[in-house]
Amino acid sequence: MEYVQGIHPSMLEEADLLKDCEVEFGRATGPGGQNRNRRDTATTVTHVPTGVVGAATERRSQAQNRSRAIFRLRLKLASTVRSKTHHERHRPSELWVRRRQGRSMSVNPMHADYPALLAEAMDVIVARRYDVAGDAGVLDISMSQLAKLIRHNKKAFAVVNRGREDQGLPRLK
């Protein structure tokens, strides 16, 4: 787990995120027809400062694979890279406040906002030593909604449960 200064990379606009990335195109193997096998449609995006990689090969279009690879990179960054935040004085981001509906947070894990919301939740959870109930209070949503947000991403969920075990807390289910 690496710490970054300033805005979490998963929250950056695409152009700003790509300034810190290397994008490579290549050929994919397997089914999909000639366009997939004869054109450089496979895409790999590497966030250079952290070494985190997102890749996509399943589409026949380079543009579609590039978009999927960037989204996957954002998800991996959200679950593995932390931004420093104060454990008591954290103020939810504008995006968080805008997406929150009362004490619930409804977001599809395939939505473009999901990686940024997950990153913010993970930053608070790590800063507050995996006290998910207290973290939910800081983020002004219910504990079940926070757990649901994290549960959508298996890697983030595993990180939280490992951290909870290290703190002597029970695993989330």
Side-chain angles (χ1 to χ4, degrees):
M1 170 180 20
E2 218 172 299
Y3 283 94
V4 294
Q5 297 296 325
I7 297 175
H8 193 280
S10 68
M11 298 177 183
L12 294 172
E13 295 291 328
E14 187 172 307
D16 293 329
L17 174 62
L18 290 176
K19 287 178 186 175
D20 288 335
C21 294
E22 290 179 357
V23 180
E24 297 176 354
F25 301 104
R27 292 188 184 163
T29 59
Q34 286 186 347
N35 199 47
R36 178 175 175 171
N37 299 330
R38 295 182 60 189
R39 304 275 184 234
D40 291 342
T41 58
T43 307
T44 304
V45 182
T46 305
H47 186 250
V48 175
T50 61
V52 176
V53 178
T57 62
E58 66 269 16
R59 303 284 183 212
R60 293 181 184 185
S61 159
Q62 187 181 82
Q64 289 175 336
N65 280 335
R66 181 179 179 274
S67 177
R68 296 294 308 145
I70 291 169
F71 184 79
R72 289 177 181 155
L73 173 67
R74 288 180 187 277
L75 284 174
K76 285 183 179 181
L77 287 167
S79 63
T80 60
V81 177
R82 302 284 48 91
S83 291
K84 292 195 184 241
T85 188
H86 193 277
H87 66 282
E88 291 176 353
R89 287 185 251 139
H90 176 81
R91 296 289 172 252
S93 67
E94 183 180 312
L95 173 64
W96 188 275
V97 172
R98 190 173 64 242
R99 291 300 307 239
R100 186 179 62 218
Q101 299 168 345
R103 301 260 310 149
S104 65
M105 174 67 70
S106 178
V107 61
N108 184 313
M110 296 306 293
H111 192 279
D113 290 343
Y114 179 73
L117 295 168
L118 177 63
E120 184 168 358
M122 292 294 292
D123 287 346
V124 171
I125 289 168
V126 170
R128 293 185 45 84
R129 297 186 172 195
Y130 305 95
D131 170 25
V132 177
D135 303 332
V138 168
L139 293 167
D140 203 22
I141 63 173
S142 69
M143 181 179 166
S144 63
Q145 286 292 298
L146 181 56
K148 183 178 175 183
L149 178 78
I150 299 160
R151 199 174 289 116
H152 285 303
N153 185 285
K154 289 180 183 179
K155 187 166 188 162
F157 194 61
V159 167
V160 170
N161 275 330
R162 214 170 19 257
R164 287 179 63 82
E165 285 177 344
D166 291 346
Q167 297 295 320
L169 299 168
R171 295 175 58 87
L172 296 177
K173 295 180 182 181

